[in-house]
């Protein structure tokens, strides 16, 4: 729907208890939810940017074909049932009687249109590369074909949020293609307008200040227990200010409760805390295009040995993370129990000397300062640790809205990134973070440093068509071991999740390890 752009007179960066926050302070009741996230959605085009903020938006304004429940099992949404016709064909039956916010009917043609656009998206096409075609069999049946057997087709269906093909087709008032996917940071019809089938419509938005949502009156899921009629989302990047907003009653729900405030929120009167072990890997990428030394595996290994992951967890994260020696968290198919953090400064110095860099060298590093828990502090800690082996770091931190465009230029020598596997599977980490970059297929889309190991890539591709789960797990575990030996990615930890809410907000049933709260089902008691 066309969005009403509001001009708020004050910003929410002023004093929390001053006029700015009171601008959005609604009386809490069963119909209105006031949220403070660490950042607001970067764009309204849900296929422009593959990020946590955009995926949260997707679950508010759109609906997936299927989604994960709290037990990480697939449950129906816009697809009501499915049948594996043969090794390379999946047929889905779609829900009838579903309306888009525009009033258009949802049909199989919208699914086909959406998948074809996803395959054009630089951020998503690697996920959807296995799908060679999507065909509308009839108005409420769609068939997906893959080139070869693919064990994760239902997993990637959780990322198909059908878009309103009629709404996004044609030209806007300036004669531009409404369906265009523009580079992040640029504006288009889809970045400023939205029509989904989801529980909420956007009624007003001012980037970085506020987003207003209202319940879609024709929402199909009449069995949902959700009773929230309006949502006001306020981005508050500063941890202390966000926590203070919750404890003062100025907001009803916050994300990313920082480790140093966990006990404070847990013990606060009238507030509940929900903690979830996380699967998002936080780590660093080394740019082999800008820093010659990083082409040497011994130098990359030295960087890994120089970083004290356990120390970061204990002293900075206060135990609110799991130190990592690989990409895959426990429970993932490729998790290799033998791979633990390997902090050893003397070994790191020896590797630097062996590689011919005993005197060290200087690098630039970038990190967001409002996307992951203590992201800027982690980067600073790592910079200090690297100084012990002669690597002198020029660190720059910035808000996430500035960080992604800077990251995309790939001009820094080292960058911090967090990644949650989009398919809840090991292979996704490799496909996006470490595969040799291929703009045609989207492989390595977030491979900041142009690391390339064709042997590991071949192992991942072979695992992607292996239907024997035990064999596939062994293949992925071997790939993790080889990546560790080559130091193609520098893991730090898997970040845990913590949410805080007023006691009348029944938060626990709608939050999950994916960090995409299903707020359409949220109940707020009187």
């Amino acid at each position: 729907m066309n969005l009403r752009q509001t001009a708020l007179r004050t910003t929410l960066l002023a004093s929390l208890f001053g006029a700015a926050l009171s601008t959005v302070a609604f009386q809490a009741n069963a119909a209105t939810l006031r949220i403070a996230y660490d950042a607001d959605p970067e764009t309204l085009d849900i296929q422009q940017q593959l990020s946590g903020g955009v995926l949260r938006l997707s679950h508010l304004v759109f609906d997936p074909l299927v989604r994960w429940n709290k037990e990480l099992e697939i449950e129906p949404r816009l697809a009501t049932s499915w049948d594996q016709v043969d090794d390379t064909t999946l047929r889905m039956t779609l829900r009838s009687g579903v309306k888009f916010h525009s009033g258009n009917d949802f049909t199989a043609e919208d699914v086909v249109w959406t998948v074809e656009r996803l395959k054009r998206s630089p951020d998503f096409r690697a996920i959807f590369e296995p799908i060679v075609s999507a065909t509308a069999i009839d108005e409420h049946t769609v068939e997906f074909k893959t080139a070869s057997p693919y064990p994760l087709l239902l997993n990637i269906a959780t990322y198909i949020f059908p878009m309103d093909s009629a709404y996004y087709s044609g030209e806007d008032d300036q004669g531009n293609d409404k369906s265009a996917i523009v580079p992040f940071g640029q504006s288009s019809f889809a970045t400023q307008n939205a029509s989904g089938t989801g529980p909420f419509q956007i009624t007003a938005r001012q980037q970085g200040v506020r987003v207003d949502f209202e319940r879609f009156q024709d929402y199909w899921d009449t069995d949902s227990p959700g009773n929230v009629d309006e949502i006001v989302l306020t981005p508050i990047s500063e941890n202390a200010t966000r926590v203070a907003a919750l404890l003062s009653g100025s907001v009803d729900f916050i994300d990313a409760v920082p480790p140093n405030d966990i006990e404070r929120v847990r013990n606060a009167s009238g507030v509940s805390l929900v903690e979830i072990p996380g699967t998002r890997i936080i780590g660093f990428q080394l740019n082999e295009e800008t820093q010659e030394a990083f082409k040497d595996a011994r130098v990359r290994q030295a960087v890994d040995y120089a970083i004290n992951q356990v120390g970061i967890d204990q002293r900075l994260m206060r135990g609110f993370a799991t130190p990592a020696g690989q990409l895959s968290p426990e429970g993932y198919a490729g998790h290799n129990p033998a791979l633990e953090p390997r902090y050893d400064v003397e070994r790191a110095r020896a590797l630097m000397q062996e590689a011919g860099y005993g005197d060290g060298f200087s690098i630039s590093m970038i990190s967001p300062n409002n996307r992951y828990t203590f992201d800027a502090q982690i980067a600073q800690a790592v910079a200090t640790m690297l100084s012990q082996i002669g690597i002198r770091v020029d660190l720059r931190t910035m808000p996430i809205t500035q960080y992604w465009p800077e990251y995309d230029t790939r001009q820094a020598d080292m960058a911090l990134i967090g990644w949650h596997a989009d398919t809840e599977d090991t292979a996704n980490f490799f496909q996006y973070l470490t595969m040799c970059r291929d703009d045609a297929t989207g492989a390595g889309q977030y491979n900041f440093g142009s690391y390339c190991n064709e042997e590991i890539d071949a192992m991942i591709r072979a695992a992607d068509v292996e239907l024997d789960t035990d064999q596939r797990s062994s293949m992925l575990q071997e790939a993790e071991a080889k990546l560790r030996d080559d130091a193609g990615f520098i893991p730090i930890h898997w970040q845990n999740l913590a949410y805080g809410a007023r006691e009348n907000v029944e938060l626990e049933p709608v939050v999950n390890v994916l960090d995409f709260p299903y707020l359409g089902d949220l109940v707020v008691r009187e």
Side-chain angles (χ1 to χ4, degrees), residues 341-401:
R342 52 180 176 180
Y343 175 56
D344 185 338
V345 174
E346 291 308 313
R347 175 64 176 147
R349 288 172 179 152
L351 285 165
M352 289 285 284
Q353 190 71 39
E354 182 182 325
Y357 293 98
D359 294 332
F361 50 87
S362 298
I363 65 169
S364 59
M365 178 194 292
I366 59 172
S367 168
N369 58 22
N370 68 339
R371 176 61 188 94
Y372 315 110
T373 302
F374 288 159
D375 41 16
Q377 294 91 328
I378 292 169
Q380 183 59 65
V382 168
T384 300
M385 293 172 184
L386 293 182
S387 69
Q388 297 180 76
I389 61 170
I391 298 179
R392 300 171 292 278
V393 178
D394 176 16
L395 171 64
R396 291 186 298 120
T397 69
M398 62 204 77
I400 192 65
T401 52

Side-chain angles (χ1 to χ4, degrees), residues 189-390:
F189 179 84
T191 67
Q192 300 297 320
N193 301 273
S195 175
T197 63
F200 294 97
Q201 299 171 268
I202 301 174
T203 57
R205 175 178 180 249
Q206 187 172 353
Q207 179 71 48
V209 178
R210 169 175 169 164
V211 188
D212 292 358
F213 303 83
E214 68 178 12
R215 193 90 180 183
F216 179 38
Q217 294 306 307
D218 291 328
Y219 186 47
W220 62 268
D221 191 359
T222 56
D223 293 330
S224 171
N227 68 340
V228 174
D229 293 331
E230 296 178 347
I231 293 177
V232 178
L233 168 59
T234 303
I236 303 178
S237 61
E238 188 175 75
N239 290 333
T241 306
R242 193 170 58 255
V243 171
L246 174 68
L247 298 183
S248 71
S250 298
V251 299
D252 306 308
F253 166 41
I254 67 171
D255 73 339
V257 178
N260 56 317
D261 282 318
I262 292 290
E263 289 303 317
R264 183 181 174 206
V265 173
R266 180 183 287 119
N267 297 325
S269 175
V271 171
S272 61
L273 177 75
V274 178
E275 300 174 74
I276 303 175
T279 59
R280 182 188 303 277
I281 188 70
I282 304 295
F284 286 87
Q285 295 168 300
L286 309 179
N287 195 338
E288 299 181 20
E289 295 293 320
T290 62
Q291 178 52 254
E292 182 72 23
F294 289 153
K295 293 181 179 179
D296 192 318
R298 293 168 297 183
V299 175
R300 299 195 301 268
Q301 292 163 4
V303 170
D304 194 20
Y305 276 110
I307 297 173
N308 185 355
Q309 290 97 333
V310 174
I312 289 173
D313 173 50
Q314 292 176 345
R315 293 193 289 273
L316 182 58
M317 301 297 291
R318 302 192 182 186
F320 196 63
T322 303
Q326 60 191 300
L327 292 168
S328 302
E330 187 174 359
Y332 273 40
H335 179 75
N336 189 328
L339 304 181
E340 297 288 340
R342 52 180 176 180
Y343 175 56
D344 185 338
V345 174
E346 291 308 313
R347 175 64 176 147
R349 288 172 179 152
L351 285 165
M352 289 285 284
Q353 190 71 39
E354 182 182 325
Y357 293 98
D359 294 332
F361 50 87
S362 298
I363 65 169
S364 59
M365 178 194 292
I366 59 172
S367 168
N369 58 22
N370 68 339
R371 176 61 188 94
Y372 315 110
T373 302
F374 288 159
D375 41 16
Q377 294 91 328
I378 292 169
Q380 183 59 65
V382 168
T384 300
M385 293 172 184
L386 293 182
S387 69
Q388 297 180 76
I389 61 170

Side-chain angles (χ1 to χ4, degrees), residues 404-467:
W404 287 127
E406 178 84 7
Y407 179 96
D408 287 343
T409 68
R410 299 167 57 219
Q411 295 301 305
D413 300 320
M414 189 169 177
L416 181 146
I417 191 170
W419 195 264
H420 175 268
D422 305 299
T423 54
E424 297 304 315
D425 182 77
T426 292
N428 182 265
F429 289 120
F430 287 85
Q431 289 160 351
Y432 273 87
L433 300 178
T434 69
M435 269 193 172
C436 306
R437 288 179 65 95
D438 186 332
D439 291 338
T441 66
Q445 178 68 17
Y446 283 80
N447 182 349
F448 174 86
S450 296
Y451 170 78
C452 184
N453 186 315
E454 293 180 353
E455 181 184 3
I456 296 175
D457 290 3
M459 296 171 68
I460 297 301
R461 291 192 176 97
D464 267 353
V465 297
E466 177 56 62
L467 300 181

